[in-house]
């Protein structure tokens, strides 16, 4: 989700992939096409990162992800400035920094790619948080663009029959919404093809992430943060499938050659929560210089976590259950279970949790998850306080001290 | 004890009302986190709906579970649960609201030992027919789960009877709200809040009786009640602070309307008594003035606020947002903009309930009231 992710070089030893170059080309083409949508007659939809993009692609609408853009703002170290601008507009400093950065950039322009193309519609799915509901209300008013909300109630326990039926009903509402905005009938045949490609891309994404099961891990979570961009924005396209195919074969070569993402991998760790975009390089280097590789994370894993619930032969119906059950839309004990599975699968030595001021659904309950994980696995856990975009909330020396203490704990085990 | 003293006492010490219900009468009580929980269903299941208001002044236990960037209601409610002060509850029912409340529900379920815990996974979107169908289904499931948790069987007539009772309670509270609009000096804003808070925790049948007595007393001949003072509407996050309202009124001014889930939003509307009870309950919940954490259209909230201002002839708005209250935080600039376009002055306050800077607040309120037309 960033142009300047982990692959732009870790002093600690991570290595670039050839696919990274291709990623930059694809993302440049993607944004250029979106910027010139007015000339090509295509419509632009802004959509939340957990939202079902496939119906948009089936209707030839260009999906744009404000979260992705805010991540770029953060990685470009422009986050504090945009967030401060939002505060001048009256938005409190405690609100999500993705939202603050996006709201401010929409009004003032600028940013790492000169702002986003104006939306013709907004698609908001609440499966990642309730914050997006408010954020998209703000933007729908500002752009005077139609807003569709896919409401996926949080599953504290199991997804209820009623909640799944509700989500399914809303998929039909979504299709009717698109037909209304675009003025043409929905292309169900095309959706089948997009659905097939989406499943294929998610399968490849899972394989890419799971290459880190090898020791040394050929990619780190910091690499995954970078490579994530396409599975978020372009799943359901051939270009996405081809990209992850290329990346996977590169990673397999690394495995064959025993090349790790981190030079002399000594410790294997799992990351929880969103990245600290302005500090991914610093964090990557800080961990790598101590021989620690963050081999997996809960964030990037979310884009293939419901793969097994998707049905190629009935993509439309299976979307409802799958989009309702993503990591952030589950109860805390289920989230802890996912982390425990990651720790086990990747044979990890510990857990690093980012207590993210911007993301309450991800960060509230982390102390309980920490306790559940420690009780079950006995592995050490460290919590780092930061923010995903607004680097005013990042105290480098404090974070470094915590990491040092954590690494000492690992060394003594 | 006068009716007003009863409401004040209960609002100041809700736990005494809880103990009176559970210990003296031996009946169950169910804690609720939000005014979206259908209290009628709890009452129809033979239990007292008891709104969790967050009574603790310190949050030492809750701080072990929640980070610093958490709002005070979530922290204090958790503290009440962890400290054991709510041990008289048979269980809790948490309605889906903002992200913080939803995670509080999980943390509560994992850490608060006493009683059962039920989640009402309510829709966030209230503007579509599919949401209403789903809402009804959630209410039906909740009723069955609640009866199961309490070890009871369904009594077909209990829910319609409960709906009637709660309609009566709401009608009286609505009358009280009308009275404060017409004769704002007859009841202070702090006392109005005390009545509204007490009505969310006390025996509701007793609440109706005491409200009848209160209303009868207030309908007497008007005295010099300060009806000519500046009239204000209060909007914002849940308000549990009678002292904050007193400070506003000491400026001097009168609070004549509110858009608070502990105030008028709590008792707004009426449940249709002839319809299917679940459908009728769902319709009222969906038609209520929208909680900022819900979506009922882009202008639903400002539309309700402007209507309230018009009906109450309020001259300005105090917008009180709790620190770390995200739904409120996102709405603030738009509400300010809409009010400014209508030429209505607005004072925005950011508050933390445990850290209440009284003198600073007084100065800001005084300066605001001075700006208003007499």
């Amino acid at each position: 989700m960033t142009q300047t992710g982990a692959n732009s070089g870790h002093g600690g030893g991570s290595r670039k992939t050839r696919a990274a170059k291709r990623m930059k080309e694809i993302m440049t083409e993607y944004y250029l096409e979106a910027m010139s949508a007015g000339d090509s007659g295509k419509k632009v939809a802004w959509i939340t990162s957990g939202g079902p993009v496939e119906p948009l692609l089936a209707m030839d609408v260009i999906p744009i992800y404000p979260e992705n853009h805010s991540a770029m703002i953060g990685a470009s170290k422009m986050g504090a400035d945009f967030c401060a601008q939002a505060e001048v507009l009256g938005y409190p400093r405690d609100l999500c920094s993705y939202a603050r950065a996006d709201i401010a950039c929409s009004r003032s322009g600028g940013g790492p790619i000169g702002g986003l193309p104006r939306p013709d519609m907004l698609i908001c799915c609440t499966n990642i948080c309730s914050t997006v509901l408010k954020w998209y209300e703000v933007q729908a008013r500002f752009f005077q663009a139609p807003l569709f909300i896919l409401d996926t109630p949080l599953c504290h326990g199991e997804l209820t029959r009623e909640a799944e039926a509700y989500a399914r009903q809303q998929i039909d509402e979504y299709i009717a919404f698109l037909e209304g905005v675009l003025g043409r009938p929905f292309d169900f045949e095309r959706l089948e093809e997009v659905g097939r490609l989406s499943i294929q891309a998610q399968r490849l994404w899972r394989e890419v992430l799971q290459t880190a099961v090898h020791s040394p891990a050929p990619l780190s979570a910091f690499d995954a943060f970078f490579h994530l961009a396409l599975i978020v924005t372009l799943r359901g396209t051939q270009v996405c499938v081809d990209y992850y195919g290329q990346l996977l074969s590169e990673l397999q070569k690394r495995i064959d050659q025993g090349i790790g993402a981190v030079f002399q991998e000594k410790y294997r760790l799992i990351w929880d929560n969103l990245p600290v975009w302005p500090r991914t390089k610093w964090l990557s280097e800080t961990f790598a210089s101590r021989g620690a590789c963050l081999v997996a994370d809960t964030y990037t894993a979310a884009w293939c976590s419901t793969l097994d619930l998707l049905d190629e032969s009935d993509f439309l119906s299976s979307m409802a259950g799958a989009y309702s059950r993503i990591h952030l839309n589950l109860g805390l004990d289920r989230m802890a279970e996912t982390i425990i599975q990651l720790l086990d699968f990747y044979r990890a030595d510990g857990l690093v949790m980012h207590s993210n001021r911007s993301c309450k659904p991800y960060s509230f309950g982390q102390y309980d998850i920490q306790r559940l994980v420690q009780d079950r696995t006995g592995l050490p856990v460290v919590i780092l306080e930061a923010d995903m975009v607004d680097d005013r909330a990042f105290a480098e020396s404090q974070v470094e001290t915590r990491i040092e203490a954590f690494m000492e704990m690992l060394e003594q085990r | 004890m006068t009716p007003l003293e009863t409401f004040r006492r209960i609002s100041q010490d809700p736990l005494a009302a809880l103990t009176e219900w559970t210990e003296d009468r031996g009946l169950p009580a169910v804690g609720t986190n939000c005014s979206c929980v259908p209290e009628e269903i709890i009452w129809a299941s033979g239990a007292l709906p008891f709104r969790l208001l967050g009574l603790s002044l310190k949050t030492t236990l809750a701080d072990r579970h929640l980070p610093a960037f958490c709002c005070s209601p979530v922290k204090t409610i958790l503290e009440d649960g962890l400290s054991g002060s709510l041990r008289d509850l048979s269980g809790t029912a948490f309605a889906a609201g903002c992200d913080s409340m939803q995670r509080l529900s999980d943390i509560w379920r994992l850490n608060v030992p006493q009683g059962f815990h039920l989640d009402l996974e309510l829709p966030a979107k209230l503007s579509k027919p599919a949401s209403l169908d789903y809402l009804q289904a959630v209410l039906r499931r909740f009723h069955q789960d609640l009866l199961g948790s309490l070890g009871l069987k369904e009594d077909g007539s209990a829910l319609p009877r409960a709906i009637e009772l709660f309609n009566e309670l709401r009608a009286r509270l609505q009358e009280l709200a009308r009275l404060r609009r017409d004769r704002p000096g007859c009841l202070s804003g702090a006392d109005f809040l005390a009545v509204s808070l007490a009505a969310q925790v006390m025996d509701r049948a007793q609440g109706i009786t005491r409200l009848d007595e209160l209303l009868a007393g207030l309908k007497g001949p008007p005295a010099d009640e300060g009806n000519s003072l500046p009239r204000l509407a209060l909007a914002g996050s849940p308000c549990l602070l009678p002292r904050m309202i007193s400070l506003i009124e000491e400026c001097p001014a009168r609070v004549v309307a509110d858009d608070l889930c502990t105030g008028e939003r709590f008792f707004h509307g009426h449940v249709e008594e002839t319809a299917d009870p679940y459908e009728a309950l769902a319709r009222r919940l969906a038609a209520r003035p929208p909680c900022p954490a819900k979506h009922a259209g882009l202008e639903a909230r400002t539309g309700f606020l402007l209507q309230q201002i018009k009906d109450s002839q309020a001259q300005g708005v105090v917008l009180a947002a709790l620190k770390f209250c995200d739904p409120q935080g996102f709405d603030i600039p738009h509400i300010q903009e809409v009010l400014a376009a209508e030429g209505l002055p607005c004072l925005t306050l950011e508050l933390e309930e445990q850290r209440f800077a009284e003198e600073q607040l007084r100065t800001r309120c005084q300066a605001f009231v001075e700006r208003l037309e007499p």
Side-chain angles (χ1 to χ4, degrees), chain B residues 170-189:
Chain B
R170 277 190 286 268
R172 282 154 179 81
L173 289 164
Q174 287 161 9
E175 197 179 337
L176 195 67
R178 274 192 299 275
L179 207 56
R180 82 162 164 175
R181 286 178 187 189
D182 298 342
R183 286 172 42 210
C186 74
L187 186 74
S188 74

Side-chain angles (χ1 to χ4, degrees), chain A residues 250-266:
Chain A
E250 265 193 75
L251 294 171
Q252 272 160 351
K253 274 185 201 149
R254 281 189 180 185
I255 293 166
D256 295 343
Q257 294 164 8
I259 298 171
V262 165
F263 185 63
Q264 291 185 335
E265 174 188 297
K266 206 170 159 192

Side-chain angles (χ1 to χ4, degrees), chain A residues 22-23 25-27 29-30 33 57 197 201 204 230-231 233-247:
Chain A
R22 176 71 187 127
M23 158 78 82
E25 289 165 8
I26 294 169
M27 291 307 285
E29 279 170 32
Y30 159 71
E33 191 196 5
L57 295 173
L197 289 168
L204 283 165
L230 291 196
I231 196 67
T233 51
L234 293 172
R235 66 181 181 279
T237 65
Q238 188 61 47
V239 72
C240 182
V241 171
D242 293 344
Y243 176 79
Y244 288 119
Q246 181 192 343
L247 177 61

Side-chain angles (χ1 to χ4, degrees), chain A residues 198-210 228 231 235 297-310 322 325-327 342 346:
Chain A
S198 174
I199 290 174
Q200 214 176 327
Q202 290 180 59
R203 210 170 274 146
L204 283 165
W205 177 240
R206 183 158 72 181
E207 285 182 54
V208 163
L209 296 180
Q210 289 185 347
L228 178 71
I231 196 67
R235 66 181 181 279
D297 68 284
T298 53
Y299 181 56
T300 60
W303 275 270
C304 54
S305 64
T306 58
L307 177 58
D308 298 336
L309 298 168
L310 288 168
R325 288 184 177 98
I326 69 156
H327 183 65
L342 288 175
Y346 289 96

